[in-house]
Amino acid sequence: MTAHGEDVRDGDGRAESDSPSEPASSPETIEVPAARERARAIPEAAVARLAVYLRVLSGLRDQDVTTVSSDELATAAGVNSAKLRKDLSYIGSYGTRGVGYEVAVLIGQIERTLGLTRKHSVAVVGIGNLGHALANYGGFPSRGFPVAALFDLDPDLVDVPVGGIPVSHIDDIVEVCREREITIGVIATPAQGAQEVCDRLVAGGVTCILNFAPVVLQVPEDVEVRKVDLAVEMQILSFHVARRQQEAGVAGESEVDGADIGPPGTGVRVPDEFDSVNGMVERL
């Protein structure tokens, strides 16, 4: 079944339109014929959940599970069934009534949507404690993101292998990134050097950057940047702890505004779409 005018059903064979709480998909998602256009119509929050579904499905495949129902997949991914069915409607649903989704088929569809069928190579810049850990993280290559280049300023680190890859000097970022066809750059440097590193990565042809430095990077419009600020994540977690204590009637040292996460008067708020905070390991 596809989203091209045919009957779109969920993993249990139910038509998406049968769900009173969730529409099958947005009109533009159904009307566009090309998979590329359909992917562009997927909301960013749904893209993040697709990555979670893929992780769950990959685990099921490793356990030799061949089919999974929408309820089972939703529970394992931590979402409700209606949200899962709508997310999968963006890419087309492949389910059979009474059987569910074929795990292998759904994995392939999500991988194509997320661009995981293409070749990716990762460069990590800044081989301190965080960069060293990222360079050695086995989850990258196992999920299709092999680390192909490492960079640092420290002359004592240059040419020293980390995770089997010799560290190069940051002066060589442009040349090495072009030679090794780096598609994703990871910045794990202090804030003061992050923009220069970013500029070098972009000059080397890198169009996707994962930024761990506590700074907002300035990039061209065709460069995608994802920022991971661990301090902000901790502050958001603190907000949720304080809110739960308040709801339970536990008195803290100070009152916490149910919507504010920063010091009084800062106006720092949790985005409406923020449902939960994934752990750092789960993000990677």
Side-chain angles (χ1 to χ4, degrees):
M1 305 173 206
T2 70
H4 308 301
E6 299 180 24
D7 185 20
V8 179
R9 298 178 181 270
D10 71 7
D12 300 314
R14 295 190 295 268
E16 291 290 345
S17 57
D18 291 342
S19 172
S21 59
E22 295 285 350
S25 61
S26 61
E28 64 270 21
T29 304
I30 293 178
E31 293 173 357
V32 290
R36 180 180 302 175
E37 292 300 325
R38 191 163 63 242
R40 289 176 181 172
I42 303 177
E44 188 166 338
V47 173
R49 290 191 294 270
L50 287 175
V52 175
Y53 304 152
L54 179 59
R55 186 181 65 216
V56 173
L57 290 164
S58 297
L60 293 175
R61 180 180 58 186
D62 293 343
Q63 299 172 35
D64 296 325
V65 176
T66 58
T67 60
V68 61
S69 70
S70 59
D71 289 340
E72 291 169 337
L73 182 54
T75 299
V79 301
N80 62 58
S81 297
K83 181 174 290 186
L84 178 137
R85 291 194 293 270
K86 181 171 183 180
D87 290 341
L88 295 183
S89 75
Y90 287 117
I91 63 173
S93 300
Y94 299 86
T96 302
R97 184 182 297 277
V99 177
Y101 294 100
E102 291 185 30
V103 171
V105 172
L106 196 51
I107 286 176
Q109 185 70 6
I110 295 176
E111 286 182 339
R112 285 191 293 274
T113 300
L114 297 180
L116 299 179
T117 55
R118 303 175 182 178
K119 178 183 177 182
H120 290 288
S121 295
V122 178
V124 178
V125 186
I127 312 302
N129 291 333
L130 176 58
H132 196 280
L134 294 172
N136 282 289
Y137 179 59
F140 283 153
S142 67
R143 297 182 186 180
F145 301 96
V147 177
L150 305 173
F151 302 96
D152 202 278
L153 266 176
D154 189 344
D156 292 333
L157 290 175
V158 174
D159 294 330
V160 176
V162 176
I165 300 174
V167 176
S168 301
H169 195 277
I170 65 167
D171 288 345
D172 299 325
I173 286 179
V174 175
E175 179 181 359
V176 172
C177 285
R178 287 177 177 170
E179 287 179 352
R180 302 181 190 179
E181 299 181 337
I182 301 297
T183 56
I184 299 175
V186 180
I187 298 178
T189 67
Q192 60 267 28
Q195 184 62 56
E196 179 183 356
V197 166
C198 176
D199 294 341
R200 290 173 185 259
L201 288 171
V202 172
V206 176
T207 57
C208 295
I209 295 173
L210 181 61
N211 178 33
F212 286 90
V215 63
V216 176
L217 299 174
Q218 303 301 315
V219 297
E221 291 184 359
D222 62 339
V223 175
E224 181 72 20
V225 176
R226 299 288 296 180
K227 181 170 170 42
V228 181
D229 192 321
L230 300 181
V232 169
E233 301 293 348
M234 292 294 184
Q235 290 168 349
I236 296 173
L237 284 172
S238 175
F239 159 78
H240 285 288
V241 171
R243 184 183 63 180
R244 289 174 183 174
Q245 288 179 339
Q246 192 175 40
E247 290 174 350
V250 178
E253 294 183 359
S254 61
E255 292 295 323
V256 178
D257 188 326
D260 291 340
I261 62 174
T266 62
V268 180
R269 305 175 68 85
V270 176
D272 292 338
E273 69 273 15
F274 188 87
D275 295 322
S276 64
V277 178
N278 291 327
M280 189 60 230
V281 173
E282 294 302 325
R283 284 182 178 275
L284 296 175

